[in-house]
Amino acid sequence: MKNWRSVAAAVFGALFSLALTAPLRASEGGAGPEAMSMGNMCMVMFGYDMIHITAYQPGKSRSEYCAEIPTSGPTILVFDIENPAFRDMPLELRIIRDPLTPITKDTDLEALTEVYRPATKYTKGTFNLEHDFKNNGHYIGLVTLTRPDGAQETSEFKFTVGETLWAWVPQIAGTVLITGIVFVYWKHTHPSGKKKDADAAAVS
């Protein structure tokens, strides 16, 4: 019984930590194989080179955001180009509403587009995109780099605006797991009346 209690306590502690930290990891997590994050700063990758992306809502807060922008409204996305060579290569930016289905070459991006900026060279190494998000939901940023030989590469970063159901999924899952382990522990430490009678009969 003592060993069972020790194991249950350890599992309970681990699940409780998971429930608390899962939402944090979700907010800092990557947005697919071509995007990563570090703290509140996202980044898209082109090979081993990266472009950092940070979101602000100066009219509401001084905080920096990444994969989860807390509310709709005016938002500033800041892009910092890590590789100096990229400053002489055109960058195209498109933000679309996430259709929540795989995007293919047949996807009508125009119908999904929230904001578009044509290919431009950003010789200073940084640029801003200001947009007033009218609706909460899931979005995808598509950054297209044109190489000197004309080849184009597109990387994406996903983010949400406003609270969505998916933002609460890790916390809900953690709560369900904790409830389950507590129930199993309670059942083990509070045997039914029939089991008590059987144990008593065995002892007598």
Side-chain angles (χ1 to χ4, degrees):
M1 177 68 71
K2 187 174 180 180
N3 291 337
W4 162 253
R5 290 181 178 178
S6 299
V7 172
V11 174
F12 179 84
L15 291 174
F16 185 71
S17 298
L18 173 64
L20 291 178
T21 59
L24 178 60
R25 286 196 295 268
S27 65
E28 295 182 353
E34 297 175 319
M36 300 187 300
S37 67
M38 183 182 300
N40 288 326
M41 182 181 293
C42 293
M43 59 191 77
V44 289
M45 303 296 298
F46 293 93
Y48 293 102
D49 297 306
M50 62 189 69
I51 297 177
H52 296 282
I53 308 163
T54 310
Y56 301 89
Q57 291 189 315
K60 300 177 181 179
S61 171
R62 295 184 179 181
S63 300
E64 300 177 356
Y65 304 105
C66 178
E68 294 180 1
I69 299 173
T71 63
S72 57
T75 303
I76 299 175
L77 296 173
V78 180
F79 296 78
D80 294 307
I81 302 172
E82 182 77 10
N83 187 343
F86 285 2
R87 300 175 187 181
D88 293 321
M89 301 181 195
L91 284 173
E92 176 186 285
L93 178 64
R94 184 189 299 269
I95 295 178
I96 65 173
R97 295 177 295 279
D98 191 344
L100 302 180
T101 57
I103 296 176
T104 68
K105 62 180 181 179
D106 297 323
T107 301
D108 184 2
L109 295 181
E110 290 294 335
L112 299 171
T113 296
E114 182 79 11
V115 59
Y116 173 75
R117 181 175 288 185
T120 304
K121 293 182 180 180
Y122 298 97
T123 57
K124 293 183 178 180
T126 185
F127 64 96
N128 299 347
L129 174 68
E130 298 185 26
H131 182 65
D132 186 1
F133 288 96
K134 301 295 185 181
N135 301 302
N136 293 346
H138 295 255
Y139 294 87
I140 301 176
L142 302 172
V143 182
T144 301
L145 174 72
T146 302
R147 300 280 185 178
D149 61 359
Q152 292 187 329
E153 300 175 31
T154 299
S155 291
E156 68 177 42
F157 63 99
K158 295 184 179 181
F159 62 98
T160 60
V161 174
E163 292 185 347
T164 64
L165 176 62
W166 288 107
W168 292 94
V169 167
Q171 192 170 10
I172 294 172
T175 301
V176 171
L177 287 173
I178 290 174
T179 302
I181 193 66
V182 170
F183 176 76
V184 172
Y185 176 73
W186 183 87
K187 289 287 289 183
H188 186 82
T189 56
H190 295 77
S192 64
K194 291 183 178 180
K195 188 175 186 301
K196 288 182 179 179
D197 293 341
D199 292 343
V203 171
S204 60

